[in-house]
Amino acid sequence: MSDLPASVAAFLAGKRIAVAGVSREPKLHVGNAIFKKFTAGGYETFAVNPNATEVEGVKCYPALGAIPGDIDGVVIATRPEMAASVVRQCVEKGVRRVWFHRAFGAGSVSPEALEAAKSAGIETINGGCPMMFLEPVDGGHRFICRLLQLFGKVPR
């Protein structure tokens, strides 16, 4: 997509991205697809799952604090009840941008997580999927993005 929403462009301008919620069962979770898309796009991407030491053939970190160096952004692709914990880790790590994954339903968004991010001054994207914006965007994600934009569920 050539005309990215400002919040999306700012998030994608970062080069070190963590994906919280990458699963040991790659076919069962969207976090793995997001992780692979960022990695394929040339980003330095970090998998985060407290219950895994390796996913997708690479080291997996138990928490954001275990990742060496700064992180430009975090995609939260966890269950909503885990999102606030990830936001608190973002605050501790100094992460300034968070993308809460959501296509339909609650996704990874929770009121507690949104409030924690807002209180900390973290810039958030509250819905949608980075795969709707990371080129090349497949037809399915392009269609869902347009549909969700009509209903105000993803950044415009």
Side-chain angles (χ1 to χ4, degrees):
M1 292 187 163
S2 57
D3 295 322
L4 291 176
S7 60
V8 171
F11 189 94
L12 297 180
K15 291 300 172 195
R16 299 187 87 228
I17 304 294
V19 181
V22 177
S23 175
R24 292 171 291 187
E25 300 294 329
K27 294 181 182 177
L28 299 179
H29 204 273
V30 69
N32 295 60
I34 294 169
F35 173 81
K36 290 193 292 191
K37 184 77 172 188
F38 271 104
T39 301
Y43 290 83
E44 187 176 3
T45 314
F46 303 93
V48 180
N49 180 328
N51 302 308
T53 57
E54 181 180 300
V55 295
E56 300 294 342
V58 300
K59 178 181 175 90
C60 184
Y61 294 87
L64 296 175
I67 299 170
D70 293 336
I71 302 169
D72 298 318
V74 174
V75 177
I76 299 179
T78 64
R79 295 185 316 272
E81 60 270 18
M82 302 302 299
S85 171
V86 177
V87 170
R88 286 189 290 275
Q89 292 177 44
C90 289
V91 172
E92 292 170 8
K93 185 76 174 166
V95 175
R96 305 307 315 150
R97 290 189 173 87
V98 169
W99 192 320
F100 292 96
H101 177 270
R102 173 176 51 198
F104 302 100
S108 297
V109 181
S110 78
E112 180 186 3
L114 290 173
E115 182 56 37
K118 181 180 176 182
S119 294
I122 294 174
E123 295 177 34
T124 64
I125 299 174
N126 306 323
C129 176
M131 293 173 59
M132 295 175 175
F133 301 96
L134 276 168
E135 296 291 349
V137 178
D138 63 85
H141 277 95
R142 191 174 306 278
F143 173 77
I144 292 170
C145 182
R146 298 283 190 234
L147 179 66
L148 292 176
Q149 281 177 327
L150 288 173
F151 295 100
K153 301 291 184 183
V154 296
R156 298 179 147 232

